[in-house]
Amino acid sequence: MKIFKYIALSVLAVGALSSCNDYLDTLPDDRAEIETADQVKDLLVSAYPHYNNNTIMEMMSDNVTDNGKTYASTVLKDELYNFKDVDDTGNDSPYQSWNGYYRSIASANQALLSLKELGAEKDNMNLVAEAKLIRAYSMMQLANTFCMAWNPEKADEYMGLPYPTEPAKFIGGEYKRGTLRQLYENINKDIEEALPYIDDNTYTVPKYHFNRKAAYAFAARFNLYYQNFDKCIEYANEVLGNDPTLVMRDFEPLTQFGAQDIGTQWIKSSDKANLMLLATYSGASYNLVYPVYPRFQHNSIVCSYETFWAKGPWGSGSGGTSLVPGKALLYYSNMLYGKSESVMFPKLMPQFEITDKINQIGYLHAVDAIFTGDETLLCRAEAYALKENPRYDLAIADINTWIQTHCRPEASDGSKRPVLTEQSLKEFMDEMEYTPEKDIEQWSEYTIRKHLHPLGFTIEAGSTKENIVNLVLHMRRLETMYQGLRFVDLKRYGIAFSHVVKGDGIKEFNTEEVNYADPRGAIQLPADVIKAGLPANPR
């Protein structure tokens, strides 16, 4: 039996049309013939997202600051850094992220429909599972970008997003945003239905697909955000096993390489830490890593007081001066490159696809390790501290595992890698002042200790829970640099921060004392989508 279908390359096809329904239902005339399950498998290879939200989320976060007007920028970086609604429609913009993730969802939906019409669902539940995880992941990325963070007390009030479960049709029901609760319930449903059927034998190159460990790592992160902490722990355990170091990065060999080689090694599918890799069309490496447009960037000041060189339980890095190799315990601190206006750790390095060898032109890609054992460990550590009956001992054990793999045993100045206890962590945090929440211009006032205003629950200031969460959030910040997850954490915990704009004052975020849930945390929908009829995010 032959089945001819329009492959839905974009559920949300670009263009201002007469109504929201028309906008969401219009398809390009790109026909494909699907007549076997193997062809569905091939379709799923191309169903993974081709765009990302890294630039959006990083430029909105506290990982960057302003080097001044003498340095070049782009319209996109300027709008994001200033917390403006974005008009830019180029690569890495909200416009491209929106369309890219919904294209991915459309292809996953086409795969599901084709399997159904071929009568091949029961015999290919592994393909059904992969399609549902692609759909769930793309919807989660859209939620992280265009919605508020999960808050069970506000989930029926906050807007969600359309969650298509079929390829777009020229007739059909209306598309509505729904609520955040409905959106998360749909993501959760897809994940739960998919997990039992993931089969690593399906894939030739498993690390570029939702292999079993990647699927459970995704489930762990989602349930952390969803505040299902016991579920997060359960799924993280499936990834980490009895010895988490078996799926964590080995930093010592990387110290022998230069920047480009570190970047190459970082995304090797053979690296035990890399659970899943995603290749996208993206200039994120030039926006975030290389100082091509360095006005708004992760510079030596942010690095010294907030990120890699900031004081942690393992000591500090360079203190704002040129790094002395081998001085710091933290491996990251000894593997930084660039200039004072742009200090980079060499991950997410530019990858070029040459399409014209004579003229040396082609496409710029970013290859991102979107799920790793290291990040999954930190998801579990946070969940241990936040669960109904917290296990601080297990949370600190995970923290120590991270320190063990991310710090040298001994630095050149004789300092030793720490092994934390609840008491030693308390003593460290008690020595740290909280970073002020408003009008911050003195970088010397910054520390890794932040005021936490979590959405949907409370954490007592100065408690063991707060100490653990603050440290884990800092470690997650280092672990996920350039990947956009820091902004999600800022939203989840209502952490106040500021973007200093030289010559134009201070732009504050999350500093409303009554409600530490800044509406700008939900990036504005693309203008064409709003014009087509979907309600805009409130401002």
Side-chain angles (χ1 to χ4, degrees), residues 188-200:
N188 187 59
K189 181 174 184 291
D190 272 346
I191 292 172
E192 292 296 322
E193 290 177 353
L195 287 179
Y197 298 102
I198 289 295
D199 182 358
D200 287 358

Side-chain angles (χ1 to χ4, degrees), residues 266-277:
W266 196 265
I267 56 172
K268 289 183 69 172
S269 61
S270 58
D271 193 301
K272 60 182 181 176
N274 292 334
L275 307 181
M276 183 172 168
L277 301 165

Side-chain angles (χ1 to χ4, degrees), residues 13-126:
V14 177
L17 302 176
S18 59
S19 72
C20 177
N21 222 38
D22 290 339
Y23 186 86
L24 291 164
D25 287 339
T26 301
L27 292 172
D29 190 7
D30 188 359
R31 296 188 179 217
E33 179 180 328
I34 299 178
E35 52 185 347
T36 68
D38 283 342
Q39 289 171 326
V40 174
K41 182 178 178 180
D42 291 339
L43 171 59
L44 287 174
V45 171
S46 64
Y48 286 86
H50 292 164
Y51 293 90
N52 63 60
N53 64 356
N54 296 43
T55 295
I56 300 168
M57 308 295 272
E58 285 293 308
M59 292 308 302
M60 290 285 289
S61 80
D62 57 355
N63 284 340
V64 293
T65 192
D66 186 4
N67 286 312
K69 294 181 179 180
T70 58
Y71 292 93
S73 185
T74 65
V75 172
L76 175 63
K77 292 181 72 171
D78 181 86
E79 290 175 332
L80 291 168
Y81 183 84
N82 283 278
F83 304 131
K84 295 179 179 178
D85 293 344
V86 177
D87 294 322
D88 186 276
T89 58
N91 272 7
D92 302 295
S93 67
Y95 173 91
Q96 286 290 9
S97 293
W98 174 278
N99 283 282
Y101 287 123
Y102 270 116
R103 287 189 187 104
S104 173
I105 292 161
S107 295
N109 285 338
Q110 181 61 60
L112 291 169
L113 180 62
S114 295
L115 287 171
K116 181 178 181 180
E117 293 186 343
L118 288 167
E121 287 177 298
K122 290 184 179 180
D123 293 332
N124 294 278
M125 288 303 295
N126 55 329

Side-chain angles (χ1 to χ4, degrees), residues 163-465:
Y163 202 107
T165 55
E166 296 180 357
K169 301 176 181 179
F170 290 103
I171 57 174
E174 294 182 359
Y175 289 91
K176 297 180 179 179
R177 290 196 61 171
T179 66
L180 191 64
R181 186 179 304 279
Q182 291 169 329
L183 174 56
Y184 271 68
E185 285 174 347
N186 282 325
I187 296 171
N188 187 59
K189 181 174 184 291
D190 272 346
I191 292 172
E192 292 296 322
E193 290 177 353
L195 287 179
Y197 298 102
I198 289 295
D199 182 358
D200 287 358
N201 294 321
T202 303
Y203 313 121
T204 304
V205 186
K207 294 290 183 75
Y208 280 88
H209 296 265
F210 270 111
N211 58 79
R212 188 174 184 277
K213 285 189 181 297
Y216 277 93
F218 171 39
R221 185 193 296 170
F222 168 74
N223 278 282
L224 178 68
Y225 291 178
Y226 201 17
Q227 298 179 17
N228 287 336
F229 302 121
D230 286 321
K231 275 283 189 183
C232 171
I233 294 165
E234 175 188 346
Y235 292 147
N237 287 343
E238 292 291 328
V239 178
L240 301 170
N242 295 324
D243 183 359
T245 62
L246 296 178
V247 288
M248 296 180 70
R249 205 171 299 276
D250 187 357
F251 279 85
E252 184 60 37
L254 295 178
T255 62
Q256 311 305 312
F257 295 111
Q260 192 60 54
D261 288 333
I262 292 173
T264 300
Q265 295 293 319
W266 196 265
I267 56 172
K268 289 183 69 172
S269 61
S270 58
D271 193 301
K272 60 182 181 176
N274 292 334
L275 307 181
M276 183 172 168
L277 301 165
L278 185 66
T280 55
Y281 295 103
S282 174
S285 57
Y286 284 164
N287 291 330
L288 306 172
V289 188
Y290 268 91
V292 177
Y293 307 104
R295 178 173 178 184
F296 307 112
Q297 206 77 15
H298 177 259
N299 66 12
S300 60
I301 299 175
V302 180
C303 186
S304 296
Y305 295 104
E306 282 276 270
T307 60
F308 298 113
W309 293 337
K311 184 177 181 181
W314 43 80
S316 57
S318 72
T321 62
S322 297
L323 184 67
V324 178
K327 179 182 178 182
L329 286 167
L330 187 69
Y331 280 114
Y332 283 128
S333 297
N334 299 283
M335 302 166 66
L336 301 177
Y337 296 82
K339 302 177 181 179
S340 61
E341 67 269 17
S342 182
V343 178
M344 70 169 184
F345 179 79
K347 62 188 263 195
L348 209 71
M349 299 290 272
Q351 307 289 327
F352 290 100
E353 175 191 356
I354 302 297
T355 57
D356 185 336
K357 291 185 179 179
I358 296 175
N359 295 306
Q360 285 294 294
I361 59 175
Y363 297 107
L364 181 61
H365 294 264
V367 179
D368 195 359
I370 60 172
F371 296 107
T372 66
D374 304 77
E375 190 263 338
T376 304
L377 179 81
L378 296 179
C379 288
R380 187 174 74 176
E382 185 180 340
Y384 276 140
L386 295 176
K387 67 193 296 286
E388 185 175 356
N389 297 304
R391 289 296 306 272
Y392 298 138
D393 56 330
L394 296 179
I396 291 174
D398 280 349
I399 288 171
N400 281 323
T401 299
W402 190 91
I403 292 173
Q404 173 193 338
T405 55
H406 286 67
C407 292
R408 303 171 183 273
E410 184 176 351
S412 59
D413 63 0
S415 58
K416 299 288 198 298
R417 182 171 61 203
V419 177
L420 296 181
T421 64
E422 185 175 328
Q423 181 61 30
S424 65
L425 177 56
K426 179 182 186 304
E427 291 170 359
F428 168 78
M429 285 296 180
D430 285 348
E431 292 177 359
M432 309 289 285
E433 297 290 337
Y434 285 103
T435 296
E437 295 195 277
K438 302 188 88 172
D439 299 330
I440 310 166
E441 292 187 84
Q442 299 299 320
W443 283 98
S444 60
E445 298 179 11
Y446 281 68
T447 75
I448 69 170
R449 190 180 190 186
K450 311 296 182 186
H451 291 280
L452 304 180
H453 308 280
L455 306 186
F457 59 98
T458 59
I459 295 179
E460 182 182 352
S463 63
T464 298
K465 188 187 299 286

Side-chain angles (χ1 to χ4, degrees), residues 62 148-151 158 227 382 434-438 440 449-459 466 469-470 473 485-498 508-519 521:
D62 57 355
M148 300 295 286
W150 173 258
N151 181 346
Y158 288 156
Q227 298 179 17
E382 185 180 340
Y434 285 103
T435 296
E437 295 195 277
K438 302 188 88 172
I440 310 166
R449 190 180 190 186
K450 311 296 182 186
H451 291 280
L452 304 180
H453 308 280
L455 306 186
F457 59 98
T458 59
I459 295 179
E466 188 201 49
V469 171
N470 251 319
L473 290 177
L485 298 186
R486 174 61 177 178
F487 189 56
V488 183
D489 290 345
L490 294 169
K491 290 162 61 172
R492 291 193 299 128
Y493 280 95
I495 297 174
F497 66 98
S498 300
E508 295 179 338
F509 194 92
N510 269 348
T511 54
E512 175 62 52
E513 287 96 340
V514 176
N515 179 17
Y516 282 85
D518 195 310

